[in-house]
Amino acid sequence: MLSQLFQNDISTLGIGKISDLFGEEYLNKSIHTEGDENGMQILLDNYKSADFDFYFINLVDLDMLYGHREDAQGYVGVLPIRIKHLVILTSVDTK
């Protein structure tokens, strides 16, 4: 997917461990994070500036602490925080 975006001049920002997982070859920029809260803030800040066409984020804490451990209760417990950020993200006017 990243190679297709790159080949079609779609600028891509990797947030979190994206460059560790997929390499940096097809990313225009990569930013490592200090946890999920930081990652979501980086996403919001960059999305508001509309400098990229595609934003690829890995929420490491959510993934590592709850996903791989199959901790459904823990996963559900942090969803309100993610929903809060998604509500903010969807209300951003990038035009």
Side-chain angles (χ1 to χ4, degrees):
M1 178 179 74
L2 287 174
S3 62
Q4 291 297 309
L5 293 169
F6 187 80
Q7 290 170 9
N8 288 285
D9 294 320
I10 297 172
S11 61
T12 304
L13 171 63
I15 301 171
K17 292 184 69 170
I18 297 301
S19 63
D20 295 337
L21 298 169
F22 300 99
E24 293 186 4
E25 182 178 1
Y26 299 115
L27 296 172
N28 294 92
K29 184 176 180 181
S30 177
I31 303 172
H32 279 265
T33 61
E34 299 295 324
D36 290 359
E37 206 54 49
N38 177 244
M40 290 302 293
Q41 190 59 55
I42 289 170
L43 173 62
L44 289 170
D45 292 345
N46 281 276
Y47 188 72
K48 287 176 185 175
S49 69
D51 291 334
F52 299 93
D53 302 310
F54 187 81
Y55 301 82
F56 197 3
I57 184 168
N58 177 261
L59 297 173
V60 179
D61 295 343
L62 186 64
D63 185 32
M64 181 186 69
L65 296 176
Y66 308 112
H68 291 293
R69 289 180 170 71
E70 299 178 14
D71 179 357
Q73 289 302 107
Y75 199 91
V76 168
V78 296
L79 283 180
I81 297 167
R82 302 302 159 249
I83 292 169
K84 174 189 82 170
H85 285 104
L86 291 174
V87 168
I88 294 168
L89 185 65
T90 58
S91 69
V92 172
D93 183 12
T94 60
K95 296 177 185 171

